[in-house]
Amino acid sequence: MSFSLTKLYAALIFLALFSMGAAGGYYLLSSSYAFAQEPIAAETETFRVDFLSSEEMESLVTNGARPRDLQDEEKEALIRALGYFSAAINPAPCLDNQTASCLVRLVVGGDDSLFLTGTSRVLQGTAGEYNFVLAQEILARGIPKTYNFTSPKDYAMALSIGQKNYSYASPTLQPAAPWNLQALLVAELTRALGLIALPDREATAGARDTLFGSLVKKETDEWHFLGNTAGTVYGDGNFLPLPMKAAKGDLRNIFLLKSTLLSDSYFINYSAPVEVELAALIDIGYDIELDKHFGRSVYTDGSTVTNGLGFLSSVPFGVGLHVYGSFNTVIQEADLFASGPGAAGVRIDGLSNSLNLESTSEIKAQGPNGVGILVAFGADHTLNIKGTIFGGAEGIKADFGYNLVDDLESLNADGYGKYSLASHYKPQEDLPQELMDYKEPLSGPLVKLLAISGLVQGNNCAIYASTNAHVETIRIHTGARIDGDIISDYDDRGAGTDFATRLILGLVEGSPEEIDKDFQFSITGRILGSGKKPGDLPERLYLGRGQIDLMLLGGVTTIEDSARVEVRSVTLKAGATLEIKPDLALCRPIFLEANAINFEEGSSLKVSFSTSPDFSPADRYITPLLKVTVSSPEAFLNEAKLELDPAAKLEEGELRWFYSDNFYLLVYLKPGARFPG
């Protein structure tokens, strides 16, 4: 199919933009340029970037904004965003004629507006052909382009980055702060690669649509994208047209998906395209290996899926299993390994999904900011973990993240992102009408139940509930091992409803009531969820300002080494034993802090150690074993029935409680020693 490189549309095609203020706006870069010298450039294997100074931007900005120089952080964010596409797209073999290039040239400058705007050149084909975006022509068809690098007149794409309080950190799979520039640029560049259609094509005589636009059809008053790859992904193997918001004359042609990077949602918590959005790029000619980015995606509702598809990937933001739909039950049998930055073994969105990880299966996301299982959206999800989970950051994380495209409190982690409070539990009259659609479906906890009988590990945290994610119940069963911390930062903001997480130990697996008398579990890390205000907590990666009620229902729970337990309450039911097993070599106590510690009749607090606390140096007469901070110390002293394990060797010393300032310190005293104070 022949194609002319010389015929350009006089008007540049404006790409969909993210409105960075209360009012939206559409701005085109000027078509006239004045350059005294070649712009400062950077280059990847696929893209050539020319960064423009404020002087060089003078003739490009036509929206009334003032040009400005880009900051180094903005340039770095762009290079990282382009790196995502360099890893994703396999360029077509270049038909090199020695004077042309198969690099996509991008010119980038800054202005003081509140908008991130982009343009992409569209080439007009000969009779009967579709029009192609120039970047698409180069990367998907291998047709080279001759550039004049001393002028930005010859570019494939152009970006003008408005002035905004961007966040620049390398994002996780979901934005960790509003306005993450890398994620915003990934969205803009995805469209710039060809996910645009020509405006008002039916009313313009002789106008030809882009290849993408030709696949957007209106049927029974609804618009759909009919690309075969995207439709097959969206229908989970059976073709299903992808719904779109695509009115005549609307250049955005946005996918009607919930909260995804290319959707028109008011709340977007993705840092990269989902599988169906990448599939749309395949449908317009790009060579992308989807199985490097996604193992499997479930977009359907009400399905029971046994997933035997494994995943082994090192690309950024790779996801082994993405559950997008609602009311699904997924049985994960195969291993999922995602080692790229910001990757996740599993991401769960939608409503009331259930994930069952089999005992022989492993999920590992060992890269920077990697998460084993990320529960990122919805309500009432259930996780049953029998296998192994590991995360480079968190093993299991419940977190709505931040809204990428708005930093208003009502739309973010301490506001709208706190869905339970913005809906059924705490209605907010000032929510925009578009957000009211979320009210009823998102009226429950993000995670209703997390049941663990396998191994959960995380470099930063084994299990984490963020400030906006209510995890209702965590059950630890026989055979479970938690290598890392269990932390809740969920803040109910005084909603008048009890949003504490119940951390239950000692139930028979699969039963909400039956006591496991043979239950055994060791706490070796931290459990943080005291409900304190941030100002009353020490500086640390995760504050632990949420509320956790630790409930020991049966068997033996051991706190050992130098573990720290800061929770709202501790309850020991009859027949349950809490055993304290300090590491004597550390000579510092295990910490147990709660507003209330309740020992029912028939429960016990036991202290054990395998060697005497009396060790060198010889003058170390006092060894702290357990520090208990409790709001009602008298009640604690009356309730606690301290037992000494027969295996413990005291030799010549004794155990004694010392009380001071609402805490009890259990120490070992050698005869003749005095406790200070």
Side-chain angles (χ1 to χ4, degrees):
M1 190 165 56
S2 62
F3 200 84
S4 173
L5 286 171
T6 59
K7 297 180 181 179
L8 293 173
Y9 276 109
L12 301 177
I13 304 303
F14 178 73
L15 299 182
L17 59 85
F18 287 115
S19 176
M20 298 186 183
Y26 294 87
Y27 301 109
L28 288 178
L29 298 180
S30 170
S31 59
S32 61
Y33 304 94
F35 257 68
Q37 58 186 7
E38 184 174 345
I40 299 173
E43 195 169 294
T44 70
E45 294 182 358
T46 311
F47 298 91
R48 151 101 180 203
V49 184
D50 292 328
F51 293 110
L52 313 183
S53 68
S54 57
E55 291 80 8
E56 294 162 341
M57 282 290 290
E58 284 286 351
S59 61
L60 305 186
V61 179
T62 60
N63 58 8
R66 291 177 299 180
R68 65 178 180 86
D69 291 329
L70 291 173
Q71 301 177 30
D72 289 342
E73 295 90 344
E74 292 171 315
K75 296 177 183 178
E76 291 167 3
L78 177 63
I79 295 301
R80 289 199 304 266
L82 290 174
Y84 171 79
F85 294 100
S86 293
I89 297 173
N90 299 316
C94 185
L95 305 176
D96 194 358
N97 62 5
Q98 297 182 348
T99 63
S101 170
C102 275
L103 289 174
V104 173
R105 189 190 187 204
L106 173 65
V107 296
V108 185
D111 62 51
D112 66 352
S113 72
L114 296 178
F115 301 94
L116 170 64
T117 61
T119 62
S120 188
R121 290 196 179 277
V122 178
L123 304 176
Q124 184 176 0
T126 55
E129 282 197 326
Y130 302 115
N131 297 308
F132 283 80
V133 171
L134 179 54
Q136 183 182 4
E137 179 85 347
I138 296 169
L139 297 180
R141 308 180 81 190
I143 299 177
K145 173 72 172 70
T146 300
Y147 294 108
N148 177 8
F149 289 115
T150 63
S151 167
K153 188 172 184 179
D154 283 334
Y155 64 76
M157 298 184 289
L159 285 173
S160 184
I161 300 176
Q163 199 162 22
K164 189 71 179 175
N165 187 24
Y166 297 114
S167 61
Y168 299 109
S170 297
T172 58
L173 192 59
Q174 57 187 183
W179 300 115
N180 183 273
L181 185 57
Q182 178 180 335
L184 289 168
L185 290 168
V186 168
E188 194 71 15
L189 290 168
T190 304
R191 296 189 179 97
L193 288 169
L195 298 186
I196 55 175
L198 296 182
D200 207 5
R201 56 184 180 273
E202 296 175 355
T204 303
R208 296 184 182 86
D209 209 342
T210 61
L211 178 55
F212 173 79
S214 72
L215 295 172
V216 178
K217 303 295 183 182
K218 187 176 182 180
E219 300 174 346
T220 62
D221 295 327
E222 294 182 353
W223 291 87
H224 291 90
F225 178 69
L226 303 180
N228 184 67
T229 307
T232 302
V233 169
Y234 189 62
D236 198 17
N238 299 309
F239 180 82
L240 185 64
L242 181 61
M244 299 194 68
K245 179 181 180 179
K248 186 167 66 174
D250 184 351
L251 290 172
R252 291 177 296 172
N253 292 97
I254 294 173
F255 298 118
L256 283 180
L257 297 170
K258 185 74 73 176
S259 296
T260 69
L261 195 63
L262 300 186
S263 71
D264 69 338
S265 298
Y266 270 69
F267 184 85
I268 291 177
N269 68 341
Y270 287 77
S271 295
V274 296
E275 184 173 10
V276 73
E277 291 168 339
L278 277 183
L281 288 176
I282 295 176
D283 285 324
I284 62 171
Y286 289 98
D287 181 5
I288 297 174
E289 298 174 71
L290 279 182
D291 57 2
K292 286 186 177 180
H293 297 266
F294 292 89
R296 180 165 186 175
S297 298
V298 179
Y299 288 93
T300 54
D301 297 334
S303 300
T304 298
V305 177
T306 299
N307 186 26
L309 295 176
F311 186 65
L312 179 60
S313 172
S314 59
V315 303
F317 310 119
V319 179
L321 170 66
H322 182 204
V323 184
Y324 171 90
S326 299
F327 310 107
N328 296 296
T329 297
V330 179
I331 302 165
Q332 181 61 37
E333 293 185 338
D335 296 336
L336 305 175
F337 298 144
S339 61
V346 176
R347 173 170 175 150
I348 298 176
D349 296 283
L351 298 169
S352 298
N353 289 305
S354 177
L355 174 68
N356 301 284
L357 179 66
E358 296 297 280
S359 60
T360 57
S361 302
E362 296 185 16
I363 295 175
K364 294 183 178 181
Q366 60 267 46
N369 295 327
V371 181
I373 297 178
L374 173 63
V375 186
F377 190 87
D380 294 327
H381 298 298
T382 299
L383 308 179
N384 296 295
I385 308 303
K386 298 180 180 180
T388 297
I389 295 175
F390 175 78
E394 298 89 9
I396 299 174
K397 182 179 183 181
D399 186 7
F400 281 101
Y402 279 78
N403 186 12
L404 178 65
V405 293
D406 207 316
D407 54 6
L408 295 176
E409 181 183 359
S410 63
L411 295 174
N412 265 297
D414 290 327
Y416 171 57
K418 193 180 302 299
Y419 288 104
S420 294
L421 301 180
S423 53
H424 177 71
Y425 296 135
K426 189 179 181 182
Q428 296 184 7
E429 300 300 328
D430 59 344
L431 287 179
Q433 182 59 46
E434 290 81 356
L435 303 184
M436 300 299 286
D437 295 340
Y438 292 109
K439 272 193 70 173
E440 289 307 316
L442 298 172
S443 62
L446 179 57
V447 177
K448 188 175 185 65
L449 173 64
L450 167 58
I452 301 171
S453 57
L455 170 62
V456 180
Q457 301 171 292
N459 284 340
N460 294 342
C461 192
I463 302 171
Y464 179 63
S466 78
T467 57
N468 55 36
H470 181 207
V471 176
E472 187 173 79
T473 303
I474 301 173
R475 292 184 195 156
I476 308 295
H477 299 292
T478 293
R481 192 176 123 209
I482 309 297
D483 188 359
D485 300 331
I486 301 174
I487 301 178
S488 172
D489 272 330
Y490 179 67
D491 178 14
D492 65 11
R493 299 171 62 201
T497 305
D498 190 352
F499 289 105
T501 293
R502 298 187 304 158
L503 178 56
I504 300 174
L505 287 70
L507 285 176
V508 172
E509 186 174 0
S511 172
E513 299 179 352
E514 185 179 355
I515 303 299
D516 184 355
K517 297 179 180 178
D518 299 321
F519 174 79
Q520 292 188 2
F521 180 73
S522 293
I523 300 171
T524 58
R526 299 180 300 173
I527 300 178
L528 303 180
S530 62
K532 289 183 177 181
K533 295 180 180 179
D536 297 329
L537 292 165
E539 287 294 327
R540 52 196 181 195
L541 182 61
Y542 307 102
L543 291 177
R545 67 176 180 172
Q547 298 183 99
I548 294 177
D549 290 332
L550 178 59
M551 306 175 70
L552 312 181
L553 305 187
V556 178
T557 299
T558 302
I559 305 179
E560 55 184 298
D561 298 333
S562 57
R564 177 182 288 269
V565 177
E566 300 174 12
V567 293
R568 185 176 75 165
S569 70
V570 179
T571 300
L572 274 78
K573 293 290 187 179
T577 298
L578 176 59
E579 183 173 6
I580 306 301
K581 199 170 184 179
D583 184 341
L584 302 177
L586 296 174
C587 197
R588 66 171 179 259
I590 288 171
F591 287 87
L592 176 59
E593 179 178 326
N595 293 333
I597 302 177
N598 307 303
F599 294 84
E600 287 192 0
E601 189 69 31
S603 64
S604 63
L605 173 64
K606 182 181 293 187
V607 176
S608 66
F609 36 85
S610 58
T611 59
S612 171
D614 184 23
F615 49 84
S616 60
D619 60 350
R620 184 177 290 168
Y621 299 130
I622 302 169
T623 301
L625 304 177
L626 170 66
K627 181 179 179 181
V628 179
T629 304
V630 61
S631 299
S632 51
E634 295 82 5
F636 167 75
L637 189 61
N638 292 333
E639 293 175 350
K641 302 295 188 293
L642 181 62
E643 298 180 9
L644 180 64
D645 192 299
K649 299 177 182 178
L650 279 182
E651 296 181 355
E652 298 178 347
E654 62 176 323
L655 293 179
R656 186 176 298 179
W657 287 107
F658 285 88
Y659 171 69
S660 175
D661 297 331
N662 286 347
F663 74 83
Y664 278 95
L665 184 63
L666 181 64
V667 299
Y668 165 76
L669 290 180
K670 187 175 180 179
R674 268 185 87 239
F675 186 74

